[in-house]
Each structure stands twice: as C-alpha cells, then as structure tokens.
Amino acid sequence: LLSLDTKAGGLDLRQVFREPVALDYLQGVIRMRASPERWRLESDRLLVKNPDATGQAVLRVDIPRADPHAAELSLMARLTNARVASTWRYVPWPPAGDKAIDWLRRALVAGTVTQGDFLFDGPVSHRDGQPPMRQLMRFEVSGATLDYLPGWPALQKLDGVVTIDGRSLKVEGQQASLLDATVAHALRADIPDLRHPRLAVSGDLQSSGPDLVRLFKESPLRGYTGSLAEILQIKGALLGQLMLDIPLAAQTHTADVSVKARLDENQLVLPGQSLLVDGLRGEVRYSTK
C-alpha cells in the first residue's frame, strides 16, 4: 500500500496531457500488486485540488512485465468548481492534436465548470494498428464564453454542456448572449473531427434589427455585403436562425453562413434616401452561397 499525502506537487502524464498538471494536494491510497505477468497500480478514491479545480478520481494502471510500453490506464474523475478557461489542459492531446487544443485554449476563455466528468481507458502509448485510448469528457458550464473565431461575435453567458468523445467535440447550450441584445437558444456547436477541425454552429435567435445590421457590418460578412449595412437600418425586435460552417485549420477561415430573420411589424430606414417603411412582416434570408 502506498499512502499519498502530497502538497505543492505535480503530475506529469506526458503521454496523455500536453503539460504537467499542478497539484495543491493529492491524497489517497494506491495498492501496488505484482504477478508473474504484470504490475498493477489501483487506487481508492483520490482527492485532488489545484488552481483549476477540486476533484476526485479512481485510477488503475496495468503494466505488462514483458512490454512495459504496453501499459494501460483506466481513469474516472469528477471535477467541481473548475475554470472553463483551463479545460484544454485536461484534453488528451495525442487523439485531439495540437491544433484542436490550441483552439480550445483560445475559444473557451471564461466561465465555470459546475461539474466535469472524465473517463480515460486504454493504452497509455498509442501504437499504429491498435485502437487509441478511449476518452469521454463532459463539462456542465455556466456563464462561459465561447470565442470560436476572431472577428465573429463571441457567445457569452453560455449555460450548457461541452462533450468531448474521442476526436469529436460538441457544445449544447440552453442559452447564450451575443452582440448587444441577442439571445441564442437551442445552441449547438460541433467539431466532428478534432484532427481536421471544422466548426458548425447553429441556434435560434431572439434579436433586434440593430444587432442584425451589426452582424453584417462588423463580422467577416462585411466582405460579402459591401456597404449594405452602412445604408440600411432595421428597427424593432425579431426572431431568427444563424448557421455557421467554419474550417478552423484554414488560413483564411472562409465560412459558409446562413441567416434567417422573421420580421413582425419592424421598421426599415434608408437614412440617405429619407425613406422609412413601417409594419414590415415577412422573412429575410441571407446565405454566403
């Protein structure tokens, strides 16, 4: 039996995490067993705290005597009161890749993980021709910010769930805000393959005419719409849908965008022409295609 009571330490699992994990404390008991075939390390409940989170974990490591590099890890953990901005530290980098982890580091910049659950199971060192380590991570987030791409309006005050299953990442938000007066519901952001990251974002919007004009004026859409947003004003509340499809690994980040807005007694103003139209009803659709 190995009794752990470690303070101001660190955990270096370089085959799993890109950077060492700092530890304020690590407490628990690990049983070490030897057989003719393997070494086994198996823990009771481990209590962990560091600057990012407080948590608990159960760990098992099997190390074959004949081939120590074929060691297998099983780790179940739960974090509470964690920092969303530190999520990237706990994503296993061999299956995700550096580009995906760098994107997570830039995109998830604020908020709290009220509960985070982890499951890692499989070989510590991946070998060609063998299945990689199974990884499943689920974070319940509150007040998070998803700044998914520079130039596009960040999603703020996001309440929802972030799931990483193998090489796929999914964000499901009950509610988020963006721009000045826009609230997004049924929000979904998907990266089907973290090795070839392409982000799809969709959501239902409760918005306003000025925010719709801001989207065309201040985002990369201004390159498609020219001076339209400069000469057109829409006033009043509206409902709509936004869909983005953005290649994150490309140099230019050329996006496919679809915007729908339903008008209900809105007002259209062309200040330069001294033209005002009241009581607009109908649908406005825009697509980069």
Side-chain angles (χ1 to χ4, degrees):
L1 297 180
L2 175 64
S3 179
L4 299 174
D5 188 2
T6 302
K7 295 179 175 63
L11 183 64
D12 187 356
L13 288 174
R14 65 188 65 196
Q15 296 95 338
V16 182
F17 302 129
R18 193 166 70 173
E19 295 187 0
V21 178
L23 298 173
D24 290 345
Y25 67 72
L26 171 63
Q27 297 173 345
V29 173
I30 292 180
R31 295 181 296 277
M32 304 173 66
R33 304 177 187 272
S35 70
E37 294 81 22
R38 64 174 54 84
W39 283 92
R40 169 169 286 184
L41 282 69
E42 196 169 20
S43 78
D44 291 336
R45 186 177 62 166
L46 301 173
L47 302 179
V48 183
K49 186 179 186 303
N50 72 3
D52 296 326
T54 299
Q56 49 189 310
V58 177
L59 170 74
R60 188 184 75 241
V61 183
D62 284 314
I63 308 172
R65 288 181 181 269
D67 186 5
H69 293 290
E72 295 201 351
L73 167 72
S74 177
L75 173 66
M76 292 185 293
R78 169 166 290 179
L79 302 181
T80 56
N81 297 319
R83 298 171 62 241
V84 167
S86 298
T87 301
W88 65 274
R89 298 181 189 276
Y90 305 97
V91 177
W93 70 266
D98 287 332
K99 290 182 179 179
I101 290 181
D102 288 340
W103 178 81
L104 286 169
R105 187 176 188 174
R106 295 192 310 268
L108 293 171
V109 294
T112 301
V113 177
T114 55
Q115 180 175 303
D117 294 306
F118 297 72
L119 170 64
F120 302 144
D121 188 71
V124 175
S125 299
H126 177 59
R127 295 179 174 181
D128 292 338
Q130 294 184 350
M133 176 182 290
R134 165 75 165 153
Q135 56 163 332
L136 179 61
M137 310 171 71
R138 183 181 185 275
F139 303 98
E140 297 178 10
V141 300
S142 175
T145 295
L146 181 64
D147 190 5
Y148 48 91
L149 200 65
W152 292 93
L155 296 166
Q156 300 176 328
K157 300 178 182 178
L158 170 65
D159 297 333
V161 176
V162 179
T163 304
I164 299 174
D165 187 353
R167 291 183 178 177
S168 69
L169 179 144
K170 178 171 61 177
V171 179
E172 297 172 294
Q174 292 87 29
Q175 183 169 306
S177 63
L178 64 158
L179 298 173
D180 290 328
T182 300
V183 177
H185 299 278
L187 181 72
R188 186 181 179 97
D190 282 306
I191 301 179
D193 187 349
L194 289 168
R195 284 285 187 177
H196 307 283
R198 188 174 188 98
L199 174 67
V201 180
S202 63
D204 297 327
L205 305 179
Q206 288 178 305
S207 188
S208 67
D211 268 11
L212 179 62
V213 174
R214 276 193 64 190
L215 180 65
F216 289 111
K217 187 176 181 180
E218 299 178 14
S219 77
L221 291 179
R222 62 183 174 270
Y224 296 92
T225 57
S227 60
L228 176 65
E230 305 291 343
I231 63 174
L232 178 71
Q233 295 179 11
I234 299 176
K235 297 183 179 181
L238 52 84
L239 299 175
Q241 295 175 319
L242 174 66
M243 290 182 285
L244 303 174
D245 185 19
I246 306 170
L248 300 177
Q251 296 295 323
T252 57
H253 300 295
T254 302
D256 291 331
V257 182
S258 174
V259 181
K260 293 181 181 180
R262 291 188 295 278
L263 305 179
D264 187 10
E265 299 294 337
N266 290 83
Q267 189 178 82
L268 174 68
V269 183
L270 297 174
Q273 306 299 322
S274 300
L275 177 64
L276 182 149
V277 182
D278 273 323
L280 281 175
R281 288 174 175 269
E283 188 173 78
V284 177
R285 296 180 296 275
Y286 172 80
S287 170
T288 51
K289 295 182 179 180

